Amino acid sequence: LSVGTGYFLRREWWWRVGVLGSLLMIAGLLVATRSTTSQAITLLAPAVMPVVLLVALLPRRVIWGIVLGVLAALSVAALLWVAVVDLAGGDPWGPMRGVTFTSRTDLWSFVLDEIAKRPWFGAGYASFWSIDPSIQPSLKTDMWFGVYAIINEGHQGYLDLLATGGIFGFVGGMAVVLRTLCIGGLAITRAAPAALAWRDGTLARPTAVFHLTLLICLLVHNFTESNLFFNNSVLAVAFVLA
């Protein structure tokens, strides 16, 4: 994302050739990692961001109308799915049965049980995974990740936020996230084209797009990984900087 942004910041042909060469090498490394989540996000971003950019340039009332409309459409679609499948005597969760997301569902089930023990304030910031082994909850279970593996995250950033901060921490954290997204969208509408930005020393629109894209990708990434508000994660630091 950051290297790709550089392509639109400069006009020199040698700069753009160098950027494209770097992108090819980075793409090869990404494929070599076999990270399904990262590969999916990388393929999704170029399709989603043009839509986000078009929406960001609309009046604020229209933007809120689109956001609420999309949420309403998703909610109606989910209700219709449940109703139709239930009338047919089927299982609404049938397509998801047996899907483990590479054994992540075991972790999520464990984290949900721990959240239920401390629902309001959680275990405390950074006080759930990488802490004293004698009190670390995951090492006190007989599940596979308590015996055969070293796990230092729940592989679901939102569940980890609930586990460590409780409901109060989760609401506060998501308020920060939503506020940051709004600032990122506003920055795009106020940023200048790259040529003008370099001349005037202001924020360039490609850079503003990169910041918002990174934020959205991190939020999607946290559905199967954890780096939201972590104190020892490179991606968490990138989130703060963006």
Side-chain angles (χ1 to χ4, degrees), residues 29-110:
L29 289 172
L30 181 61
V31 172
T33 64
R34 300 182 182 180
S35 174
T36 306
T37 302
S38 297
Q39 291 176 17
I41 290 173
T42 304
L43 293 173
L44 186 64
V48 172
M49 282 315 297
V51 177
V52 174
L53 291 174
L54 290 174
V55 172
L57 297 175
L58 296 173
R60 186 172 298 182
R61 291 182 179 179
V62 178
I63 293 175
W64 280 112
I66 292 175
V67 171
L68 294 175
V70 170
L71 292 176
L74 292 174
S75 300
V76 170
L79 289 173
L80 286 175
W81 166 259
V82 172
V84 170
V85 174
D86 188 59
L87 287 174
D91 179 11
W93 293 101
M96 298 298 295
R97 301 292 183 191
V99 177
T100 66
F101 294 97
T102 322
S103 297
R104 282 174 170 81
T105 50
D106 292 337
L107 276 167
W108 297 345
S109 178
F110 164 74

Side-chain angles (χ1 to χ4, degrees), residues 129-150:
W129 293 106
S130 299
I131 56 177
D132 185 352
S134 64
I135 60 174
Q136 186 173 338
S138 65
L139 298 181
K140 295 184 177 182
T141 174
D142 57 357
M143 300 185 74
W144 62 267
F145 51 85
V147 180
Y148 302 111
I150 299 175

